[in-house]
């Protein structure tokens, strides 16, 4: 088998696939049920997957409900993603102890982590590739991310169940995956069939797939997968108009629309915490009460906090409107200038998990509409 090949495996053989990944030294991470949502967690066996569950999502709303079938991947994305494994929310970067005449360095080198992300959605793969660009642009800043990323194995599952807040089709990131995966699966479930079309995207992917019982893919299998993904695209919950958006946002610094958003925005930062491309972090130094031990941690930060824009003597963005403008303008406009792509992949998480139900696709449309563009 080699990169570019496509085969079909029975659904039960995904257990063999998981075993093959573990034998190769990967920690398997995938979708699991946790706290009433599909979360990204440790996957010990196929039975950990949320078989037979789906999600209903809308602005500020998320509910799990039972499906009529036992689909293994019959839901969209949950609140967290691979981000918390490649960039943990709180990570020790240095530890030290005071000794006579100075400090003893207690920092120990990070244990190398090899994650296999099993069931990544195409939008999440796109987000991961965007993150790679961000860190390439900031060479030398985050060796921890680089080492975890280089060791990662990516099993993408094309999306047949977009939610009410998804708009990956507008962003060109789904429901069918682009390149960058090791293996890409499409779930083909029917009356008497439960199989997966498996596309091989790398040599490592080929070696893993080789160890799983499979048959060659027939044209009918490819047609079934294509029909499923066409249908998923037609059920996309939302749409984001990208044409002319960057140019409009670049000129909307003083737009009165931001004041209107500020009346609803709680500046809680949820949208940045759940977003797979948001990367802002800060360093926090703490010491023990005896003044002996000290530690530096990298922790996730958000452009919605007042401290985020603090420069000697005060914060630059004091109003909620200014902070929302900063966030959406960075995502959809200035990200292009910095990294050559949009900072949004259309996963819809920021819409679902915003307690005020603020919708990035609707706010972008409002800015365009206020200026005579868009419908
Ligand atoms: S847009 Fe929503 S999630 Fe984001 S900071 Fe405002 S209230 Fe919180
Ligand atoms: S901005 Fe919202 S929709 Fe876009 S990638 Fe981030 S969380 Fe997903």
């Amino acid at each position: 088998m080699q990169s570019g090949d496509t085969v079909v495996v029975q659904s039960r053989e995904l257990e063999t696939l998981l075993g093959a990944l573990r034998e190769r030294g990967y920690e398997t991470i995938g979708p699991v049920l946790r706290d009433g949502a599909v979360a990204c967690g440790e996957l010990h066996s196929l039975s950990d997957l949320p078989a037979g569950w789906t999600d209903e999502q809308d602005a500020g709303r998320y509910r799990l409900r039972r499906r009529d079938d036992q689909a293994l991947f019959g839901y969209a994305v949950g609140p967290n993603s691979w981000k918390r494994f490649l960039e943990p929310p709180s990570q020790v970067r240095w530890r030290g102890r005071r000794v006579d005449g100075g400090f003893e360095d207690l920092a120990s080198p990070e244990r190398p982590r090899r994650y296999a992300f099993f069931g990544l959605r195409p939008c999440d793969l796109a987000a991961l590739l965007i993150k790679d660009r961000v860190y390439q642009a900031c060479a030398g800043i985050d060796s921890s991310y680089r080492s975890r990323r280089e060791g990662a194995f990516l099993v993408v599952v094309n999306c047949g169940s977009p939610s009410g807040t998804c708009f990956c089709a507008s962003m060109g990131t789904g429901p069918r995956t682009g390149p960058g995966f090791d293996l890409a699966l499409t779930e083909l479930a029917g009356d008497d069939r439960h199989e997966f079309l498996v596309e091989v995207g790398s040599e490592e992917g080929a070696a893993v797939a080789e160890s799983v019982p499979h048959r060659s893919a027939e044209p009918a299998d490819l047609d079934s997968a294509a029909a499923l993904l066409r249908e998923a695209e037609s059920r996309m919950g939302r749409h984001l108009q990208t044409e002319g958006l960057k140019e409009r946002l670049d000129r909307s610094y003083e737009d009165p629309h931001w004041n209107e958003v500020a009346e609803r925005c709680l500046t809680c930062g949820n949208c940045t915490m759940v977003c797979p491309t948001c990367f802002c972090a800060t360093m926090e130094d703490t010491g023990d009460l005896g003044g002996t031990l000290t530690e530096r941690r990298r922790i996730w930060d958000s452009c919605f906090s007042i401290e985020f824009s603090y420069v000697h003597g005060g914060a630059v963005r004091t109003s909620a409107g200014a902070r929302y403008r900063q966030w959406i303008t960075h995502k959809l406009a200035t990200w292009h200038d910095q990294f050559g792509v949009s900072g949004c992949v259309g996963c819809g998480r920021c819409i679902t998990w915003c307690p005020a139900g603020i919708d990035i696709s609707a706010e972008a449309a409002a800015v365009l509409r206020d200026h005579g563009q868009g419908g």
Side-chain angles (χ1 to χ4, degrees):
M1 201 178 294
Q2 59 186 17
S3 180
D5 284 355
T6 304
V7 296
V8 174
V9 303
Q10 292 289 321
S11 63
R12 63 177 177 277
E13 296 298 351
L14 292 194
E15 193 76 86
T16 314
L17 179 52
L18 275 175
L21 289 168
R22 278 195 296 274
E23 271 172 28
R24 296 175 91 83
Y26 292 106
E27 294 175 60
T28 44
I29 306 294
V32 293
L33 288 182
R34 184 174 299 152
D35 301 329
V38 174
C40 200
E42 236 177 292
L43 210 55
H44 302 287
S45 84
L46 207 54
S47 61
D48 290 337
L49 289 173
W53 288 96
T54 191
D55 50 22
E56 289 175 352
Q57 301 192 38
D58 205 343
R61 186 174 190 281
Y62 181 100
R63 294 287 182 280
L64 284 179
R65 72 169 174 79
R66 277 283 180 193
R67 294 173 59 97
D68 298 333
D69 59 22
Q70 283 300 302
L72 295 175
F73 296 95
Y75 38 82
V77 291
N80 68 5
S81 66
W82 49 267
K83 180 167 107 167
R84 64 183 302 103
F85 293 91
L86 294 187
E87 298 168 86
S90 174
Q91 193 178 31
V92 174
R93 288 305 173 92
W94 187 78
R95 265 197 190 106
R97 184 192 351 244
R98 188 198 292 271
V99 292
D100 284 346
F103 276 99
E104 179 189 358
D105 186 348
L106 299 179
S108 47
E110 188 177 292
R111 175 164 72 90
R113 310 297 293 254
R114 295 183 72 215
Y115 291 117
F117 295 109
F118 193 89
L120 269 185
R121 289 308 189 186
C123 60
D124 275 339
L125 173 63
L128 205 152
L129 298 178
I130 289 172
K131 229 18 143 20
D132 290 349
R133 282 181 183 238
V134 168
Y135 283 117
Q136 267 160 20
C138 310
I141 284 189
D142 206 304
S143 56
S144 167
Y145 175 88
R146 209 168 24 247
S147 127
R148 290 170 184 233
R149 171 67 179 96
E150 282 168 5
F153 186 95
L154 308 177
V155 183
V156 174
V157 178
N158 285 320
C159 190
S161 302
S163 83
T165 54
C166 291
F167 57 96
C168 62
S170 321
M171 308 310 289
T173 60
R176 183 189 173 84
T177 187
F181 55 84
D182 292 294
L183 295 174
L185 278 51
T186 308
E187 185 166 20
L188 303 172
D191 296 335
D192 52 358
R193 159 182 221 197
H194 197 178
E195 296 177 313
F196 283 82
L197 188 75
V198 179
E199 297 165 63
V200 178
S202 68
E203 280 179 29
E204 176 82 339
V208 171
E210 189 71 60
S211 60
V212 180
H214 59 271
R215 66 170 172 83
S216 302
E218 306 291 335
D221 300 314
L222 303 180
D223 290 348
S224 299
L228 182 107
L229 298 177
R230 267 199 309 277
E231 210 262 325
E233 186 163 345
S234 72
R235 285 189 290 110
M236 213 47 52
R238 277 165 164 76
H239 171 80
L240 188 139
Q241 182 182 329
T242 51
E243 196 185 328
L245 182 59
K246 172 182 164 22
E247 296 71 21
R248 170 45 52 201
L249 285 168
D250 280 340
R251 294 197 302 276
S252 297
Y253 187 78
E254 302 290 354
D255 198 302
H257 182 71
W258 309 129
N259 297 330
E260 194 274 311
V261 180
E263 288 175 15
R264 291 174 283 138
C265 177
L266 309 170
T267 66
C268 64
N270 265 18
C271 47
T272 55
M273 295 296 121
V274 296
C275 178
T277 65
C278 275
F279 57 84
C280 290
T282 189
M283 291 294 176
E284 193 176 81
D285 294 326
T286 52
D288 70 343
L289 289 176
T292 308
L293 294 169
T294 188
E295 165 176 293
R296 168 162 285 193
R297 282 180 174 270
R298 179 190 190 270
I299 54 174
W300 288 2
D301 201 353
S302 168
C303 52
F304 280 92
S305 79
I306 190 92
E307 296 82 12
F308 184 79
S309 68
Y310 189 94
V311 281
H312 69 96
V316 174
R317 289 185 285 275
T318 53
S319 71
R323 281 176 255 161
Y324 188 81
R325 179 204 63 220
Q326 160 65 24
W327 180 70
I328 193 172
T329 305
H330 190 207
K331 282 279 159 215
L332 300 174
T334 52
W335 207 293
H336 286 278
D337 302 325
Q338 275 183 291
F339 309 117
V341 286
S342 170
C344 175
V345 296
C347 71
R349 287 184 176 94
C350 58
I351 306 172
T352 300
W353 298 98
C354 171
I358 295 172
D359 176 342
I360 186 173
S361 67
E363 301 310 332
V367 171
L368 285 173
R369 198 167 47 240
D370 291 350
H371 295 273
Q373 286 170 266

